[in-house]
Amino acid sequence: MIARRDLILGGAFLAAGAGAYALKPRRKVTLLTGAKMASVVPTAFGPWESQTAEGLVQPETEGKLAAKLYSEMVSRVYMNTETDDAVMMLIAYGDTQSDLLQLHRPEACYPAVGYRITQSKAATVPLANGARLPGRHVVAERTERRENIVYWTRLGEFLPDSEGAQREARLRTAMTGVIPDGALFRFSNLREDDKAFPTLDGFIASMIQAVAPKYRPALIGNQVAKQTAAEGLTFRWTASPSAFPSRGGCAQCDCWSCRYSCPTPDW
């Protein structure tokens, strides 16, 4: 005869197994369809043109492992033909999100090649129509070199701005049975003045506007992409701050330093 205690334990194990099966993601969802990230992100827009991508900090991963983790990696250096400013870009995209995507976070990969992280904080990049892109501002330093970094991650429709938020987003997608795609977008420069981050923020905003609207969700999710696609917004480029009113630039983010003017200025 089966003891009552055994029946209770058996039922508990069965319920636990059913719960684990229910939580196992089974439906794959990707926001990048019908194209490659390298073709989606333009090689030139406004005064920016891409050059060779030598000298970019790459994550320390085994070659075969990296090939499994990421469907595509895009590395470029953009030069401003008017100012000679340079912006370095690295995009790591995976059509099936992995726990190891965090290896590409600057806080992890820069110390692996001798940098010290002297600043890392949550920040938002101002986009068209007042949209805000959550990300992080990071400063990495080593002897005679300072790299200013703006990056964000996308996990399905989520834009987590920390490892903790990324874990929460992964759990929430798993509970809905979804296997999302994911990407990390990193932009950096070597400026040592107070215009370093405004330059990067302005570059990012302009680049996103240069991406075809149907592909923007692959970079910033559908919700933010819809805001940037609103009609009646224009982006203007100027050769110098003197082209702006006496205030010196856009009142929202003072981003004339990168020759980009906000679409929602209050001047």
Side-chain angles (χ1 to χ4, degrees), residues 56-85:
L56 268 67
V57 174
Q58 301 280 358
E60 294 295 313
T61 57
E62 296 293 335
K64 291 184 179 179
L65 176 60
K68 293 179 180 179
L69 294 178
Y70 304 104
S71 307
E72 185 181 8
M73 291 184 64
V74 183
S75 299
R76 293 176 187 162
V77 175
Y78 287 85
M79 297 295 299
N80 188 308
T81 57
E82 296 175 356
T83 66
D84 291 331
D85 282 335

Side-chain angles (χ1 to χ4, degrees), residues 29-52:
V29 176
T30 62
L31 299 189
L32 179 63
T33 57
K36 291 288 188 180
M37 194 66 74
S39 61
V40 166
V41 178
T43 56
F45 53 93
W48 297 96
E49 296 180 358
S50 65
Q51 311 290 330
T52 57

Side-chain angles (χ1 to χ4, degrees), residues 160-210:
D161 61 3
S162 68
E163 289 188 24
Q166 185 168 310
R167 287 192 295 269
E168 180 182 351
R170 187 177 294 112
L171 176 61
R172 292 176 66 181
T173 56
M175 292 180 68
T176 62
V178 168
I179 304 173
D181 64 347
L184 184 143
F185 303 85
R186 190 188 82 200
F187 301 83
S188 60
N189 64 22
L190 303 179
R191 294 186 65 144
E192 297 186 0
D193 57 19
D194 60 359
K195 300 302 181 184
F197 285 109
T199 296
L200 292 171
D201 288 349
F203 174 91
I204 291 167
S206 298
M207 184 204 73
I208 288 174
Q209 286 305 111

Side-chain angles (χ1 to χ4, degrees), residues 116-131:
R116 292 180 299 108
I117 302 298
T118 58
Q119 174 183 309
S120 178
K121 63 180 182 180
T124 57
V125 179
L127 303 179
N129 200 27

Side-chain angles (χ1 to χ4, degrees), residues 59 70 73 90 92 100-106 109 184 186:
Y70 304 104
M73 291 184 64
L90 174 68
L100 292 178
L101 183 64
Q102 65 187 22
L103 288 174
H104 270 282
R105 288 185 174 273
C109 62
L184 184 143
R186 190 188 82 200

Side-chain angles (χ1 to χ4, degrees), residues 2-10:
I2 300 176
R4 183 170 179 273
R5 175 175 176 275
D6 293 335
L7 286 173
I8 293 174
L9 287 175

Side-chain angles (χ1 to χ4, degrees), residues 247-264:
R247 292 191 59 170
C250 168
Q252 182 171 327
C253 64
D254 189 32
C255 54
W256 54 255
S257 63
C258 54
R259 280 59 183 173
Y260 163 85
S261 63
C262 282
T264 56

